[in-house]
Amino acid sequence: AAMGKRLRVFLIASSLLLVLVSAGCNGGTSAPNVSIALQPGVSQEMDEAQSVAISANLSNDTGNKGVSWDLNGPGTLSNNTTISVTYHAPATVNATTTATVTATSVTNTRVSAQLAITIHPSPQVATTSLPDGSLNTAYSATLQASEGTGAYAWNVTSGSLPAWASLDAKTGVISGTPDVSGTANFSVAVTDDAGIASDDQALSLTVRGFSVSSTSLPDGVVGVPYAAELAANGGVEPYSWSVSAGTLPSW
């Protein structure tokens, strides 16, 4: 009888072992080796209020189940499908910020891909005034911009530059040599790589007329130290003086 009990216990334990081994074999199938590639890639820069379409290309996706989409950060997602989604940046941002869109495989949830999106405020013209120019003196001033994405392109949106001046659209440099005095009023705007234009910025460029106001000098006395100060009107100080004709006395 004792031997019969031991035999029954052994048989029960053996059966349990067989069940465990069988379960381990059936449940050990590895998940499909899915891979995900996102377009437009792993990073993207854009301005506020812009949108970008994102697509997911999958390989080894059993049953073509595609991906699920998730957003971390500002903005919204729309038009969700198993292979694409559209990201919308916030209408306005006060400073450059980031958002991350994640695509996770439905077939194998351990596999995902991310697109990091950098959102910039719209470009702005930072220059609010221009230095005065001087008649017949080479002039150069560089317009400044802030925010936006990538390189800038400049243009005059209303009014016009003085006839003697030109604007380099890539560098924002206004240059030339003034041949007339006066003030020109115009507005400029800057556009960034994303194609977003700034608001217009009104500017004035003044060229000051220039002349020597001294028309005579006091007489001198032999043996007595002499000094007289020349004066000029207009232009941009400080002045530089030179003798343009004739010569000063040898002393």
Side-chain angles (χ1 to χ4, degrees):
M3 183 173 291
K5 292 180 180 179
R6 289 196 294 272
L7 179 59
R8 285 195 295 273
V9 170
F10 174 76
L11 290 174
I12 293 171
S14 298
S15 298
L16 179 60
L17 176 61
L18 288 173
V19 171
L20 290 175
V21 171
S22 175
C25 293
N26 293 335
T29 302
S30 60
N33 187 25
V34 180
S35 63
I36 305 171
L38 296 182
Q39 294 294 334
V42 296
S43 64
Q44 175 77 15
E45 292 196 47
M46 60 196 306
D47 288 343
E48 60 189 15
Q50 287 195 299
S51 299
V52 61
I54 307 168
S55 61
N57 298 318
L58 290 84
S59 60
N60 299 322
D61 180 28
T62 305
N64 295 321
K65 294 182 180 180
V67 300
S68 61
W69 299 96
D70 182 61
L71 171 64
N72 181 26
T76 58
L77 298 178
S78 70
N79 305 320
N80 300 49
T81 73
T82 57
I83 57 172
S84 64
V85 74
T86 301
Y87 171 78
H88 305 276
T92 58
V93 293
N94 295 324
T96 298
T97 187
T98 58
T100 303
V101 177
T102 301
T104 302
S105 168
V106 175
T107 299
N108 183 354
T109 56
R110 291 178 294 178
V111 177
S112 63
Q114 293 184 330
L115 172 63
I117 302 174
T118 302
I119 308 108
H120 300 279
S122 296
Q124 301 294 325
V125 179
T127 300
T128 57
S129 63
L130 294 172
D132 291 344
S134 182
L135 197 61
N136 300 320
T137 301
Y139 180 90
S140 180
T142 302
L143 300 174
Q144 302 293 332
S146 62
E147 305 300 351
T149 303
Y152 297 129
W154 293 90
N155 67 299
V156 176
T157 55
S158 65
S160 60
L161 294 172
W164 54 264
S166 63
L167 169 63
D168 188 312
K170 292 184 178 180
T171 64
V173 174
I174 298 174
S175 61
T177 300
D179 54 6
V180 293
S181 59
T183 298
N185 298 304
F186 54 93
S187 294
V188 299
V190 64
T191 303
D192 67 2
D193 271 351
I196 304 299
S198 69
D199 294 333
D200 293 350
Q201 173 65 55
L203 296 171
S204 295
L205 200 170
T206 298
V207 175
R208 299 183 181 277
F210 184 62
S211 63
V212 176
S213 57
S214 297
T215 57
S216 63
L217 294 173
D219 293 340
V221 177
V222 174
V224 178
Y226 180 90
E229 185 175 355
L230 300 173
N233 290 323
V236 180
E237 297 189 52
Y239 303 136
S240 295
W241 293 89
S242 64
V243 176
S244 59
T247 56
L248 292 173
S250 60
W251 51 268

